[in-house]
Amino acid sequence: MSDAIKHECGIALLRLKKPLQFYSEKYGTPFYGLNKMYLMMEKEHNRGQDGAGLANIKLDPQPGKKYISRIRSNDNQPIRDVFAKVMGRFADLEKDNPQALKNTQFLKDNFAFTGELFLGHLRYGTFGGNSIENCHPFLRQNNWMTRNLVVAGNFNLTNVDELFGLLVELGQHPKEKTDTVTVMEKIGHFLDEENQVLFDQYKALGYNNQQITELIGQHLDVQRVLSRASREFDGGYTMCGLIGHGDAFVLRDPNGIRPAYWYEDDEVCVVASERPPIQTAFNVPVESIREIEPGHAYIIKKDGRSSIKKIREPQEKLSCTFERIYFSRGNDKDVYAERQNLGRNIVPEILKKVNFDLDNTVFSFIPNTAETAFYGMIKALEDHLNDKKIEQIAQLGSSWTKEKIESIIRHRARIEKIAIKDVKLRTFITQDSARDEMVAHVYDVTHGTIKKGEDTLVVIDDSIVRGTTLKKSIIKMLDRLGPKKIIIASSAPQIRYPDCYGIDMAKLGDFIAFQAAVKLLEERGLTSVLDVVYKKCKDQEEAPKEHVKNYVKEVYEPFTPEEISSKIAELVTPSDISANVEVVFQSIEGLHQACPDHKGDWYFSGNYPTSGGNKVVNKAFINYIEGKNERAY
């Protein structure tokens, strides 16, 4: 993706099922848990570089001993900063008394982050500031162990205002109106109620308070707490929680919008946003890792027993396709295959655009994250050429010669590494024109790869969101090579609608596809469509989200995808270049074929998995018409 987009977050949860001494003896370090958390979080750094946090809970602490530890960072390298500070606590001990590092009970009694239960978080700041206070995990404290709650997650809720109001109706006074605080207080409220119910029950049976505390920890019904707390949640979420006495949970939304995977053996319980971090950290095959099903929670009790429990009724699984196109780690077995298929599926349209003239066409990719789709594109081109070669050889009949066959066999697609992204350029120039000139040189090109005035240059990108980088940098850079035509091929379909589930694509007017549709309406005298859509959106602005329809679809209805693609090409083409520019997009059908198990395509189709999504898209349109440069949720 050549446009800068923030997105997603990453979570990592680890429960050590054996005493700490076991790991020290077997693996030679008392910091087995910390080492695994560091490795998992580093292998998920693609999911968050604005901040990081780590929490730890010690099981069965003595009264008066601190048992919950948390550290957060918004440093330039937050993961390293977090673990440097955590491990720095042991540096003096290693120097002064190295033998003490072998005494795991001493470490647990006297040092933070030596407990059995870990929760890590990586943050991309899609909303709100980037202060350390915005970093997860969040902590809800109480003197009762079973009422302490640590929360972190990868989520965005569309109905924070509604949920905030429900908290106020319960008599609470939340300190912030954010989805993280709202979620924590909602779960915390029902955790408190569950505690009180159990307390009253055991008190009536004659148990004393210390006995009751132990019984609450044993019998706390996490499934019931989560079911009651999440009843009104509308959005995409993977929510993780640690309860002070040692229970833990990871909850996934009913449509499976946000990802979560788990692994368990006799030593550990592990959860992460993606599979490769678990595979790498614990050296396990992909077949051993399972997905938390939509609407379910993976619950780990203090005694180490785990279970999968249904929390909300699962709906149609509509996992986010942008996970597969761009955000997930490309070394995941399925993601790698899906991205190659995305490249394959766009080839028929590319061949039409180049008139099947592969002798005078050069293929490349921008940015580096499009490389896997590029491989898929090349494999499809090779298949096309092999089919042609078989035909040509068959047509030779008895007139074949070694030279003729060699000429046919050696025919191949022209593949080049066209673009090189340099270290991010900084400019201290304030004038827009001068700054744009600097931005245009973020990428550099490989000279001598294009026959000037003869070749068509095809460059595949993951997706085109705003088109800003294309216009200000990439197309100008490619034009310096002198091709007669530049074709930008997007492995994703046209992005037409905002996201509201955790990716920073919230303003409708930013999308180049929306800009193209508005421009076409203007050129064809159809601007009344905007007025009609605006009125429909305003009329249902105060309606319950369950009754709201996505009327923004009507903006695109007068035009074919090809017409919008052509207009996008015009809009992203600078006025001072020589080459003809065309843009080719993946079809939604091609997307579904490439990613058959991940059909959350609302960015492209406008078919939101939750009713809150329809409310958000209409609000985004209202903001656009009214000139409000703000998010719709």
Side-chain angles (χ1 to χ4, degrees):
M1 181 185 294
S2 50
D3 292 315
I5 294 291
K6 291 188 175 182
H7 59 90
E8 301 296 312
C9 289
I11 56 97
L13 184 147
L14 171 62
R15 165 62 198 274
L16 302 179
K17 297 169 72 173
K18 305 279 189 181
L20 295 183
Q21 190 64 28
F22 169 87
Y23 304 96
S24 183
E25 293 174 0
K26 181 172 181 177
Y27 298 103
T29 173
F31 306 121
Y32 175 82
L34 282 168
N35 291 344
K36 295 301 184 184
M37 287 299 296
Y38 176 68
L39 189 53
M40 280 202 292
M41 290 173 70
E42 278 289 5
K43 294 301 179 182
E44 285 192 315
H45 76 273
N46 56 298
R47 305 188 69 85
Q49 298 168 24
D50 288 341
L54 179 70
N56 178 252
I57 287 180
K58 300 176 182 180
L59 303 183
D60 301 315
Q62 291 297 314
K65 293 284 188 178
K66 185 178 179 181
Y67 59 95
I68 299 179
S69 305
R70 178 189 62 164
I71 187 169
R72 299 178 292 177
S73 174
N74 61 346
D75 186 78
N76 286 335
Q77 294 184 307
I79 303 172
R80 294 184 185 183
D81 186 49
V82 162
F83 282 90
K85 289 175 179 175
V86 170
M87 298 307 294
R89 303 164 192 248
F90 304 101
D92 291 340
L93 182 65
E94 185 175 18
K95 181 174 64 175
D96 299 335
N97 186 9
Q99 285 299 115
L101 291 177
K102 298 180 181 179
N103 187 337
T104 55
Q105 190 59 51
F106 171 80
L107 294 175
K108 184 174 177 178
D109 289 342
N110 295 281
F111 286 86
F113 296 98
T114 54
E116 296 87 346
L117 191 53
F118 294 87
L119 177 58
H121 186 265
L122 301 151
R123 179 176 186 269
Y124 255 129
T126 61
F127 185 47
N130 196 36
S131 75
I132 199 166
E133 294 303 318
N134 296 113
C135 296
H136 301 204
F138 282 63
L139 179 59
R140 191 177 193 261
Q141 294 179 291
N142 195 286
N143 260 1
W144 283 56
M145 293 180 71
T146 51
R147 292 178 185 241
N148 279 289
L149 180 64
V150 182
V151 170
N154 170 20
F155 58 88
N156 201 81
L157 301 182
T158 70
N159 62 332
V160 173
D161 288 345
E162 175 188 346
L163 296 172
F164 184 87
L166 290 172
L167 288 174
V168 173
E169 288 176 15
L170 290 170
Q172 291 195 19
H173 190 90
K175 61 182 181 180
E176 292 180 51
K177 189 189 284 189
T178 64
D179 54 3
T180 306
V181 171
T182 302
V183 163
M184 182 174 66
E185 293 301 334
K186 201 86 162 63
I187 297 172
H189 171 79
F190 290 104
L191 179 62
D192 287 344
E193 284 201 349
E194 180 72 12
N195 269 269
Q196 193 62 50
V197 167
L198 290 172
F199 180 90
D200 294 342
Q201 174 185 322
Y202 292 121
K203 194 71 173 177
L205 293 173
Y207 292 96
N208 65 41
N209 288 359
Q210 286 184 318
Q211 291 172 323
I212 290 173
T213 296
E214 183 69 24
L215 288 166
I216 290 174
Q218 293 173 14
H219 299 287
L220 192 70
D221 191 336
V222 179
Q223 180 184 16
R224 182 163 58 196
V225 171
L226 295 176
S227 296
R228 297 180 72 196
S230 65
R231 196 171 296 149
E232 295 89 8
F233 289 173
D234 186 293
Y237 51 83
T238 294
M239 297 176 184
C240 306
L242 312 180
I243 303 173
H245 70 292
D247 285 0
F249 64 84
V250 181
L251 169 63
R252 198 172 180 205
D253 67 83
N255 294 102
I257 296 170
R258 299 273 74 91
Y261 297 88
W262 64 276
Y263 165 77
E264 183 173 350
D265 58 27
D266 61 346
E267 296 182 7
V268 294
C269 298
V270 187
V271 182
S273 293
E274 300 187 44
R275 296 185 300 188
I278 300 176
Q279 288 181 256
T280 299
F282 296 92
N283 192 28
V284 295
V286 67
E287 294 79 17
S288 300
I289 300 170
R290 299 177 64 184
E291 187 175 6
I292 297 177
E293 291 301 313
H296 288 69
Y298 179 58
I299 298 172
I300 309 166
K301 293 296 290 179
K302 184 209 166 194
D303 62 10
R305 290 178 297 119
S306 68
S307 60
I308 299 289
K309 298 292 186 181
K310 185 170 77 172
I311 305 301
R312 294 183 60 185
E313 197 62 42
Q315 304 299 310
E316 180 184 4
K317 188 179 179 185
L318 294 169
S319 306
C320 171
T321 50
F322 254 113
E323 289 276 350
R324 323 306 289 181
I325 295 168
Y326 178 71
F327 296 138
S328 294
R329 288 184 71 85
N331 62 329
D332 181 274
K333 169 178 169 286
D334 294 335
V335 171
Y336 186 76
E338 289 162 8
R339 290 181 182 174
Q340 288 208 41
N341 286 334
L342 287 168
R344 281 181 175 275
N345 290 349
I346 202 170
V347 165
E349 189 62 28
I350 291 173
L351 288 172
K352 293 177 188 176
K353 290 290 185 183
V354 302
N355 295 318
F356 297 88
D357 180 10
L358 299 187
D359 290 332
N360 296 296
T361 303
V362 173
F363 296 89
S364 193
F365 59 91
I366 298 178
N368 288 343
T369 50
E371 187 173 7
T372 305
F374 172 74
Y375 292 149
M377 178 177 71
I378 295 307
K379 289 178 181 180
L381 289 170
E382 290 172 348
D383 289 344
H384 166 77
L385 280 173
N386 286 339
D387 290 341
K388 301 297 288 185
K389 291 174 184 179
I390 291 169
E391 290 179 15
Q392 291 169 349
I393 291 173
Q395 289 171 3
L396 289 177
S398 59
S399 65
W400 70 271
T401 64
K402 178 183 176 182
E403 290 75 17
K404 288 180 180 179
I405 291 180
E406 185 175 7
S407 175
I408 294 170
I409 292 295
R410 293 191 183 280
H411 191 212
R412 64 188 63 183
R414 295 170 61 194
I415 304 165
E416 303 290 352
K417 173 73 171 177
I418 289 292
I420 303 162
K421 188 172 185 179
D422 290 320
V423 175
K424 185 176 181 181
L425 292 175
R426 296 184 64 193
T427 175
F428 303 97
I429 302 170
T430 57
Q431 292 85 358
D432 288 343
S433 59
R435 189 189 305 111
D436 287 349
E437 170 65 16
M438 292 292 287
V439 169
H441 293 84
V442 169
Y443 287 90
D444 210 344
V445 291
T446 306
H447 296 279
T449 53
I450 300 293
K451 293 179 290 185
K452 292 188 177 183
E454 297 181 33
D455 283 341
T456 293
L457 176 56
V458 177
V459 175
I460 192 167
D461 194 351
D462 304 291
S463 57
I464 301 171
V465 184
R466 304 183 184 108
T468 307
T469 308
L470 278 178
K471 184 168 186 174
K472 290 189 174 183
S473 177
I474 291 175
I475 292 176
K476 287 184 177 182
M477 175 267 294
L478 297 177
D479 189 59
R480 296 202 298 269
L481 293 171
K484 69 175 181 180
K485 182 190 287 188
I486 298 169
I487 297 175
I488 304 295
S490 169
S491 67
Q494 296 167 5
I495 298 169
R496 299 182 171 193
Y497 305 95
D499 182 62
C500 53
Y501 305 120
I503 297 174
D504 187 21
M505 296 193 296
K507 299 173 185 176
L508 194 56
D510 287 348
F511 302 143
I512 192 66
F514 180 78
Q515 296 170 27
V518 171
K519 193 69 174 176
L520 287 170
L521 290 172
E522 293 172 353
E523 291 174 355
R524 300 185 187 182
L526 297 173
T527 53
S528 59
V529 170
L530 299 177
D531 298 328
V532 170
V533 172
Y534 176 69
K535 184 178 186 309
K536 289 180 177 180
C537 292
K538 289 293 286 186
D539 286 346
Q540 61 174 8
E541 191 172 14
E542 302 303 324
K545 64 181 184 299
E546 292 78 14
H547 301 153
V548 176
K549 177 182 176 183
N550 179 2
Y551 287 114
V552 181
K553 289 183 179 183
E554 296 179 14
V555 173
Y556 298 97
E557 285 177 357
F559 316 112
T560 65
E562 292 73 23
E563 287 175 310
I564 292 176
S565 294
S566 295
K567 183 54 64 177
I568 289 172
E570 289 181 29
L571 294 177
V572 300
T573 301
S575 59
D576 57 347
I577 73 162
S578 302
N580 179 31
V581 177
E582 295 188 41
V583 180
V584 178
F585 287 90
Q586 182 77 252
S587 67
I588 293 179
E589 294 75 22
L591 173 69
H592 289 168
Q593 189 279 327
C595 309
D597 299 321
H598 303 267
K599 296 182 179 178
D601 63 3
W602 56 90
Y603 314 89
F604 321 112
S605 68
N607 298 327
Y608 288 88
T610 75
S611 53
N614 291 332
K615 198 171 183 71
V616 166
V617 68
N618 287 351
K619 180 62 176 175
F621 184 79
I622 291 170
N623 287 345
Y624 169 78
I625 295 295
E626 295 180 354
K628 297 178 180 177
N629 185 30
E630 60 187 42
R631 300 167 66 93
Y633 59 91

